[in-house]
Amino acid sequence: MYHQVFFSKERTIYLIVVNLSLDSEKILEQINSWLISIESRVCAAERAGKASGGPGGQIFVVGTHTDHPKFSSLKSLQAFLANLQTNLPHSIRNAFYPIGRADQTNLKLLKDILLDTANDMTFSEDSLIPGSYLEMEKVLRTEKDVLVECREIGALPVVRWERIAALSETLSSARGLNQDSSWIRRACATLASLGYLHFSDGSKNDFVVLDIKWLIAILDHIDHNHLCGKFTTQIPWNHSICPAQFQPFVLEVLQKYELLTQIPLPPSSSGPLEYLVPSLLPESRPKDL
């Protein structure tokens, strides 16, 4: 569920990718789960007419494995797809694209539609990006590139707020602008909503992530490499990716996006904290929860 990091309020395209070799009930369960997740985090916006309308963006469903042995013939595949599509929510029924390795027709169609959809997306009149915000984005991108190049000597693409303030002051001096602390926060909040960085205004941790891929690498390490199907865990930190000073911040992000939920300790307990991983919960309630 890493894509929750990228949930934006507008000008966003969402691809929900499902494996058609699963049974239709499981597929519909996955699709509906993602729809609920998206709709609960994105402000409602006017639905566009061409593709499926989503809250604050466009939602497409891509079904893979159409050439799986499960479909013994084209007829069986078409029957399966017809049944599946009938049960899809109305908002995405016409935005469903089955693809396979053998037949690339729908893949090309999907690419064309995604390009057209992106080109047709415009900002609303009250959310146009000020030019000064884009200048700040260029400054932050340069800072990110320097940190990424220095990764081998321990640099990470995440900085404290005081560094952001210093970069903004440099930009202000060079452009003769008057940019106070509230301007910096508005600029970073806007750039975060567009996916350029990760910034949580009001967070007790003052870190700003300049390269989202760093955050994703941490989530991937925690989920795939160490959980092994368990739904409760102590955090298996990779200190080369996420040193100790960043760990409270990352925990805050994980819980904000409901990737982890802290399990309260009994009053008399002093053991290590454990976290529930919602996406790994079994269908029926575990006996020990």
Side-chain angles (χ1 to χ4, degrees):
M1 298 183 71
Y2 302 157
H3 302 72
Q4 292 176 0
V5 176
F6 300 98
F7 281 167
S8 299
K9 295 182 180 179
E10 62 174 315
R11 298 182 75 249
T12 308
I13 296 174
Y14 302 98
L15 292 182
I16 301 176
V17 182
V18 292
N19 183 346
L20 295 178
S21 68
L22 303 176
D23 63 74
S24 57
E25 190 173 315
K26 183 68 174 177
I27 294 170
L28 290 168
E29 179 185 314
Q30 291 178 349
I31 292 172
N32 282 312
S33 174
W34 272 110
L35 286 176
I36 292 170
S37 192
I38 293 171
E39 290 172 359
S40 67
R41 288 169 176 78
V42 182
C43 293
E46 196 166 322
R47 294 183 181 274
K50 271 196 343 183
S52 67
Q58 301 293 309
I59 303 175
F60 297 90
V61 177
V62 180
T64 64
H65 295 71
T66 58
D67 45 6
H68 191 272
K70 170 182 178 179
F71 308 113
S72 57
S73 66
L74 179 61
K75 185 176 180 179
S76 66
L77 171 62
Q78 290 174 336
F80 179 85
L81 294 177
N83 177 66
L84 179 64
Q85 202 153 357
T86 300
N87 290 286
L88 286 175
H90 287 280
S91 62
I92 59 172
R93 192 167 295 175
N94 296 321
F96 176 69
Y97 295 87
I99 59 175
R101 285 180 293 181
D103 184 359
Q104 299 287 306
T105 305
N106 274 345
L107 181 58
K108 184 180 185 306
L109 177 62
L110 177 62
K111 288 180 180 178
D112 292 340
I113 289 178
L114 291 178
L115 286 173
D116 289 342
T117 302
N119 288 332
D120 288 345
M121 284 184 167
T122 58
F123 285 102
S124 56
E125 291 183 1
D126 60 348
S127 61
L128 294 175
I129 303 178
S132 56
Y133 289 12
L134 296 178
E135 290 191 54
M136 188 64 185
E137 189 274 327
K138 291 178 183 177
V139 170
L140 296 178
R141 192 192 319 155
T142 300
E143 179 80 356
K144 178 197 77 173
D145 291 343
V146 170
L147 293 172
V148 169
E149 287 179 5
C150 296
R151 179 69 184 90
E152 291 185 0
I153 58 173
L156 294 171
V158 54
V159 296
R160 288 194 176 274
W161 185 254
E162 60 188 26
R163 177 58 180 166
I164 299 294
L167 290 170
S168 175
E169 185 175 343
T170 300
L171 176 63
S172 298
S173 299
R175 297 288 188 270
L177 303 173
N178 182 21
Q179 297 168 174
D180 57 15
S181 59
S182 63
W183 178 92
I184 305 171
R185 291 193 175 276
R186 289 196 304 273
C188 285
T190 299
L191 295 175
S193 72
L194 297 172
Y196 291 123
L197 50 84
H198 180 85
F199 162 69
S200 297
D201 200 3
S203 168
K204 63 183 178 181
N205 295 294
D206 64 348
F207 293 112
V208 177
V209 179
L210 301 180
D211 186 0
I212 297 295
K213 288 185 289 186
W214 172 75
L215 199 55
I216 297 301
I218 296 172
L219 305 185
D220 185 65
H221 171 80
I222 291 175
D223 192 354
H224 291 115
N225 295 345
H226 291 274
L227 294 185
C228 301
K230 297 184 295 183
F231 52 86
T232 61
T233 183
Q234 298 174 22
I235 303 300
W237 295 109
N238 181 331
H239 293 277
S240 66
I241 300 176
C242 186
Q245 67 266 32
F246 298 122
Q247 291 170 11
F249 162 71
V250 172
L251 270 177
E252 182 181 309
V253 173
L254 290 170
Q255 293 183 84
K256 174 184 177 181
Y257 293 113
E258 300 176 7
L259 297 169
L260 292 180
T261 299
Q262 183 178 324
I263 300 175
L265 289 173
S268 59
S269 175
S270 59
L273 294 176
E274 283 206 335
Y275 295 84
L276 183 73
V277 187
S279 62
L280 296 180
L281 281 171
E283 293 183 7
S284 56
R285 179 171 177 168
K287 294 181 180 179
D288 53 347
L289 282 183

